[in-house]
Amino acid sequence: RAALSAEAQASLAKDTLSWAERRAAVADAASGHKNAELAQLSECAQLIQQQARHLQQWRHQLVDAQRDASTFKEKLERAHQDFCRAKAAHDEEASQLRREVKNVKSSA
């Protein structure tokens, strides 16, 4: 009977050890999975930071482009006004010359 009890205890100890080894393997696998997830999250965080830097650069470029466009628009408006004044002066001068030519023809 003592031999049977010792055999049963040995079997129970063997089963318990096997169960503990399986649990340790599961825990190791879970830990490895969590470590892989942490590495992926770290990489994602770095990519997000890189994209944020690019976005900031693009924002600065957009502000510069808007400022340049505004400056160009102002220059274009001034050039248009100058052109309109020059055209009006030219038209007036052309009208004056036509009147003078007409007067000369009618006097001749």
Side-chain angles (χ1 to χ4, degrees):
R1 187 171 188 182
L4 187 60
S5 178
E7 190 176 307
Q9 286 180 354
S11 177
L12 181 61
K14 183 179 173 186
D15 290 344
T16 302
L17 180 60
S18 178
W19 176 83
E21 287 173 346
R22 286 191 306 272
R23 295 287 296 171
V26 168
D28 284 345
S31 176
H33 180 72
K34 291 295 179 190
N35 287 338
E37 284 181 336
L38 286 173
Q40 287 178 339
L41 288 174
S42 176
E43 184 179 348
C44 286
Q46 290 173 359
L47 290 172
I48 289 170
Q49 289 174 350
Q50 182 182 22
Q51 290 302 316
R53 286 190 299 273
H54 287 156
L55 181 61
Q56 191 66 23
Q57 290 171 348
W58 294 333
R59 183 178 293 149
H60 287 305
Q61 290 173 355
L62 176 61
V63 167
D64 291 345
Q66 287 173 331
R67 185 178 51 247
D68 291 347
S70 178
T71 300
F72 179 74
K73 181 182 176 190
E74 290 171 6
K75 288 180 180 180
L76 185 61
E77 287 172 354
R78 278 194 300 268
H80 182 259
Q81 290 170 353
D82 291 346
F83 172 78
C84 289
R85 281 192 293 274
K87 183 179 181 310
H90 177 277
D91 290 347
E92 179 59 34
E93 185 179 345
S95 293
Q96 181 64 32
L97 287 173
R98 279 192 288 278
R99 283 191 298 275
E100 288 177 10
V101 168
K102 185 178 179 182
N103 289 339
V104 167
K105 284 183 179 179
S106 65
S107 296

